[in-house]
Amino acid sequence: MYKKFDAKIDALLAKMSLHDKIGQLNQPCTPLPHQVEQFKEWIRKGEIGSILMAVGATAGNDPQGAIDVDFYNELQRIAVEESPAGIPMIFGRDVIHGHRTVFPIPLAMAASFDFDLVEQSYVDVAREAANETVHWTFTPMLDLSRDPRWGRIIEGPGEDPLVGACMAKAVVKGCQGEDVSHKDRMVACAKHYIGYGAAEGGRDYHRTEISNYSLYNYYLPAFRAAAEAGVGTYMSSFNEINGQPVTSSKFYLTDVLRGQLGFEGFVVSDYGCVEQLIKQGVTDDRGEASSMAIEAGLDMDMYDFCYIENLEEQVKNGRIPESVIDTAVRRVLRLKMAKGLFEDPYCKPEKFDRNVHLAHAREMAANSMVLLKNDGVLPLKKDMNIGLIGPFINERRSLLGSWTVDGKAEETPTLLEAMTEAVEGKGKIHANVGISLDKDFTFRMADRGDVVVLALGESWARTGENKAVSDITITEDQKSLFKKVKATGKKMVGVFFCGRPIAMEGIAEYFDAILYAWHSGSETTHAVCDVLFGDVVPSGRLPVTMPRLATHIPLYYNVTPSGRPCNCYYGENPGNCYVDSYPTPYYPFGYGLSYTKFVYNDIINCANPEVSLADLEAGKTFKLSIEVANAGDYDAKELVQLYIHDPVAKMMRPMRELKAFEKTFIKKGETALVEFELGYKDLGYYTAEGDYTVEPGKIEVFIGENCLTERMTEIVIK
Ligand code: BGC
């Protein structure tokens, strides 16, 4: 893919000193004002290959200054005109789910199961950020996680490898486009490679144990998809796996990533990872840490100056050969060439219509929201009296979610503002925050409504990096608020603004309807109104299990069967689980309701229920279809989901694995025929050695509305 740059890179490398080369591998943060002159000096000496456009770690949690385009252009000019090799720098920023226009947190976007919409979102995101000198973004975050206590679950695709793979492709294509050198495009970065989402207890940065079987079948598929989509970079993860830091692991960074995934771009470390090898206890020396990391396949050093301060010496004293440095530099230069930085290193901002992006953000947000419950109270009518209560009715910042570096809370409408606009003067909103001095007033407001909308949830500050929580619920004062409102006897609609799934037992039962609105970005509240008033029929589905209790974690749908008792799926047989509670999900993976009613027919068994392994390998597929009728009162989208189970294989296979899905728009009164094809790549699994294998035998295929569907047929691989 990058071959065309080889000759130019050879010529450049021949001219570069060892010092110049190592400079290309150094990525410090943006300097603080008092550091600028020193920083410019480093650039002049060719010691900076890239800038992390942030003033410290956890850019998603701390406010970052706005981007000063002139400042970055000036730094770039110094690199191009005054440094020894004249190589432009590549500027990277955490543009995770939006720039000035903030889209829903990635977990919410995954809930849309509409990956064309996700791709479109990232086209907008890239346009806004690239227009402010961002060449490279540290997204998509592809860490599969089964632990919603982990604060960073908000940034990822949830618990399913196929959803992760779809997210990977959509984000990479949206950011990079067909030609990443285009001024509106950014290089993407698949992170955190790998296993970071498996941190024990959801405690950020903690250790992980991941067998190679789990690695290949659960954690790697999204990263494989990113490689297939041509992602330019990967970021190595902070964590250890089975006692080895990823940062110094040749197995993960080279054998798997390059050998098996065929990745040709470059790997950047996560923030300070190289130096952290010392804290992780595999060396006590920064020089040795640098050699270990670069030998393992880690090309660029983020933040900690380990490479620039040590690698020259490490080569000179024979610890590593210069060829190791050359390999890393070659990879970095390729990407800079692919991004077109040698032709056009400067940013020339252009005007674009941000209203289009806001409209897309609203559409993305409305499609991400999940209707968890509805006893007929939704949609609301605009001429109703609505009691609007709860700590989120005047909230702005939390709606944007964590990892919002450039979005502006003050530009984000509150729910009260959006609702007032949405009822168009026809109805009346009786609003009170509720959790304040004014409890009695709150209940009067509730009383005045024909229905009460409770805006509840969690602060953005409880989510994101280094923000694990031990209990995934809402605060006690919110619980006592909705219990008291319930006592008024009014119909209650809960709108939950959360970054993660919450434990629903003791909460959901109180409500007549629940809309899970996530932290859905700049247009969260407009989108909530679109859904509440029925302008958009909800179509989001859960990309993660919503447990009853936090103590049931980990609880995920794609689990292998237990042998005793047999086939206890997803906690359904309490005898095999806890004596004190039922660990079935409160809402399972893939779950979500609509305002309309979809009726599934039986699966139309495929014309060819038997295919030989050889034919399958040669490209033949099983074709399955199902009729889905819209028997309700609304035109709406339905997510038709296909799962498989391989009941007899050499390795134990999950009881359900999502293998395909189709989000289909069906008009009321109409029936859609939804067709699926299953081929070689869908029906096998990876061995612990990383070999893909498809075994002959029977496969159960389930098609339905979520992972618990029992609608099943069988196909046979002969
Ligand atoms: C995070 C990364 C992020 C990097 C740069 C790290 O702390 O783990 O996801 O891209 O900081 O801000």
Side-chain angles (χ1 to χ4, degrees):
M1 168 174 174
Y2 299 109
K3 277 237 155 319
K4 60 180 176 196
F5 303 122
D6 280 357
K8 200 169 163 190
I9 293 173
D10 287 342
L12 252 176
L13 279 175
K15 284 195 313 200
M16 290 167 78
S17 67
L18 179 58
H19 193 73
D20 295 341
K21 290 177 189 170
I22 296 169
Q24 286 304 305
L25 311 180
N26 183 30
Q27 187 197 50
C29 292
T30 297
L32 294 168
H34 70 276
Q35 299 164 330
V36 170
E37 286 318 309
Q38 164 75 79
F39 200 85
K40 287 183 175 169
E41 217 26 59
W42 288 333
I43 300 176
R44 259 180 216 113
K45 289 203 255 161
E47 292 178 347
I48 296 183
S50 171
I51 299 178
L52 165 59
M53 304 168 81
V55 292
T58 64
N61 295 333
D62 307 322
Q64 305 291 312
I67 297 175
D68 178 348
V69 173
D70 293 340
F71 173 68
Y72 284 99
N73 274 339
E74 168 58 8
L75 297 183
Q76 188 72 303
R77 191 200 58 73
I78 298 173
V80 172
E81 293 179 9
E82 299 180 26
S83 76
I87 297 172
M89 296 179 289
I90 183 164
F91 301 142
R93 190 169 179 88
D94 289 292
V95 183
I96 305 301
H97 55 105
H99 191 62
R100 174 84 169 266
T101 307
V102 183
F103 287 75
I105 53 169
L107 184 64
M109 286 201 244
S112 75
F113 283 83
D114 185 338
F115 294 97
D116 291 338
L117 217 51
V118 174
E119 185 180 331
Q120 171 193 281
S121 303
Y122 278 91
V123 170
D124 296 349
V125 173
R127 184 180 299 116
E128 286 190 12
N131 207 46
E132 292 191 358
T133 76
V134 183
H135 307 131
W136 175 25
T137 174
F138 304 120
T139 203
M141 192 276 217
L142 301 174
D143 295 312
L144 180 136
S145 180
R146 296 164 173 171
D147 197 329
R149 291 172 298 184
W150 191 48
R152 303 197 78 169
I153 196 167
I154 71 142
E155 290 173 60
E159 70 193 35
D160 182 69
L162 177 64
V163 175
C166 292
M167 220 34 206
K169 280 190 197 139
V171 180
V172 171
K173 281 172 73 187
C175 288
Q176 298 190 166
E178 291 301 314
D179 178 3
V180 75
S181 73
H182 192 279
K183 62 174 183 39
D184 282 349
R185 301 301 196 175
M186 298 186 289
V187 176
C189 181
K191 73 182 188 186
H192 306 82
Y193 181 82
I194 190 165
Y196 184 35
E200 269 182 2
R203 294 190 289 279
D204 213 355
Y205 316 128
H206 273 247
R207 66 186 305 277
T208 74
E209 287 279 344
I210 302 175
S211 70
N212 283 351
Y213 182 57
S214 290
L215 174 84
Y216 287 116
N217 291 293
Y218 291 106
Y219 293 93
L220 202 62
F223 288 94
R224 190 185 292 276
E228 283 165 7
V231 72
T233 65
Y234 278 70
M235 183 184 289
S236 67
S237 56
F238 287 123
N239 55 289
E240 61 155 292
I241 302 182
N242 310 339
Q244 188 180 30
V246 174
T247 310
S248 58
S249 165
K250 181 173 166 297
F251 173 69
Y252 296 110
L253 294 181
T254 297
D255 301 351
V256 176
L257 184 57
R258 303 210 177 257
Q260 297 177 17
L261 269 51
F263 174 60
E264 293 181 339
F266 75 82
V267 179
V268 63
S269 75
D270 203 345
Y271 196 91
C273 264
V274 178
E275 187 162 40
Q276 286 163 28
L277 287 174
I278 297 174
K279 285 216 168 112
Q280 289 178 302
V282 291
T283 177
D284 56 4
D285 177 73
R286 292 176 89 235
E288 178 56 21
S290 306
S291 288
M292 288 166 86
I294 198 163
E295 263 188 330
L298 201 159
D299 305 304
M300 185 180 278
D301 175 19
M302 180 189 281
Y303 167 71
D304 61 20
F305 292 88
C306 270
Y307 279 12
I308 192 72
E309 288 172 7
N310 295 286
L311 282 182
E312 210 168 336
E313 181 59 30
Q314 295 285 302
V315 173
K316 288 190 174 143
N317 70 22
R319 167 64 180 84
I320 47 167
E322 187 163 345
S323 59
V324 174
I325 312 281
D326 286 352
T327 302
V329 177
R330 187 175 281 283
R331 292 172 181 154
V332 172
L333 293 179
R334 272 180 198 160
L335 236 285
K336 289 186 173 182
M337 288 179 186
K339 179 65 195 118
L341 292 173
F342 283 81
E343 283 74 41
D344 190 3
Y346 303 110
C347 175
K348 304 171 202 82
E350 281 176 12
K351 290 219 174 330
F352 54 84
D353 186 1
R354 207 162 72 80
N355 287 324
V356 174
H357 298 181
L358 286 167
H360 287 159
R362 182 171 181 161
E363 189 186 0
M364 185 76 248
N367 275 276
S368 302
M369 294 178 184
V370 186
L371 183 67
L372 295 178
K373 183 172 182 184
N374 188 15
D375 294 347
V377 57
L378 290 179
L380 303 175
K381 297 198 179 53
K382 292 190 175 168
D383 59 2
M384 279 174 151
N385 277 323
I386 299 171
L388 181 60
I389 288 171
F392 278 73
I393 70 173
N394 286 323
E395 179 59 25
R396 298 181 200 275
R397 175 62 190 89
S398 283
L399 307 179
L400 298 177
S402 187
W403 285 106
T404 294
V405 180
D406 296 281
K408 294 189 188 319
E410 64 277 18
E411 292 176 355
T412 310
T414 65
L415 186 59
L416 176 55
E417 289 164 353
M419 273 241 331
T420 308
E421 182 191 323
V423 295
E424 299 162 351
K426 295 177 190 152
K428 199 157 171 33
I429 309 288
H430 305 271
N432 192 263
V433 173
I435 300 176
S436 66
L437 313 167
D438 243 348
K439 282 225 159 117
D440 297 339
F441 190 63
T442 301
F443 301 117
R444 212 159 69 221
M445 291 298 110
D447 228 27
R448 285 184 184 165
D450 306 321
V451 59
V452 184
V453 173
L454 276 136
L456 308 171
E458 62 178 340
S459 159
W460 73 278
R462 271 170 61 92
T463 71
E465 185 171 354
N466 207 2
K467 296 287 175 65
V469 293
S470 60
D471 198 4
I472 49 163
T473 185
I474 54 172
T475 53
E476 284 307 318
D477 50 1
Q478 295 188 69
K479 287 183 185 165
S480 65
L481 176 70
F482 71 65
K483 284 178 187 163
K484 286 191 94 174
V485 173
K486 181 76 184 169
T488 65
K490 296 281 169 176
K491 290 272 183 196
M492 257 171 44
V493 177
V495 181
F496 284 76
F497 299 94
C498 297
R500 54 162 65 79
I502 59 170
M504 275 289 181
E505 195 157 280
I507 299 177
E509 304 85 45
Y510 285 83
F511 291 85
D512 299 285
I514 297 178
L515 179 67
Y516 213 70
W518 311 101
H519 294 155
S520 284
S522 305
E523 288 293 301
T524 305
T525 56
H526 285 145
V528 165
C529 292
D530 291 343
V531 176
L532 288 184
F533 292 108
D535 295 326
V536 173
V537 178
S539 64
R541 301 289 181 263
L542 293 176
V544 276
T545 298
M546 208 165 262
R548 293 180 180 280
L549 302 172
T551 49
H552 294 162
I553 299 167
L555 186 70
Y556 52 96
Y557 90 95
N558 39 9
V559 66
T560 45
S562 91
R564 200 180 141 79
C566 207
N567 293 351
C568 154
Y569 179 50
Y570 219 179
E572 77 189 358
N573 185 340
N576 198 33
C577 297
Y578 306 110
V579 290
D580 60 348
S581 62
Y582 287 85
T584 49
Y586 204 104
Y587 295 118
F589 176 87
Y591 174 86
L593 302 174
S594 173
Y595 292 155
T596 199
K597 182 175 158 42
F598 291 107
V599 180
Y600 283 69
N601 226 320
D602 289 340
I603 301 172
I604 301 171
N605 212 343
C606 42
N608 54 334
E610 295 190 354
V611 175
S612 74
L613 185 53
D615 284 351
L616 202 61
E617 207 168 348
K620 192 158 180 185
T621 56
F622 292 97
K623 295 191 172 60
L624 299 113
S625 50
I626 190 162
E627 284 179 347
V628 183
N630 182 345
D633 297 328
Y634 298 83
D635 300 343
K637 293 182 214 164
E638 168 69 339
L639 184 76
V640 184
Q641 303 166 37
L642 183 151
Y643 297 84
I644 66 164
H645 173 221
D646 183 348
V648 184
K650 291 200 183 81
M651 292 298 287
M652 288 172 65
R653 303 301 303 138
M655 302 279 291
R656 296 280 194 284
E657 281 178 274
L658 183 68
K659 284 296 170 185
F661 54 85
E662 195 63 51
K663 201 162 184 182
T664 316
F665 177 74
I666 313 175
K667 289 195 159 166
K668 63 180 173 194
E670 293 191 356
T671 298
L673 180 70
V674 182
E675 296 173 308
F676 294 104
E677 281 188 54
L678 291 175
Y680 187 77
K681 66 172 185 14
D682 305 306
L683 297 170
Y685 64 92
Y686 285 90
T687 64
E689 288 68 46
D691 299 321
Y692 186 71
T693 172
V694 179
E695 293 182 16
K698 191 171 72 178
I699 305 266
E700 296 165 354
V701 181
F702 302 83
I703 304 181
E705 44 283 85
N706 61 56
C707 73
L708 292 180
T709 179
E710 293 292 341
R711 200 172 295 105
M712 199 260 276
T713 189
E714 283 177 3
I715 55 176
V716 179
I717 304 170
K718 284 202 301 179

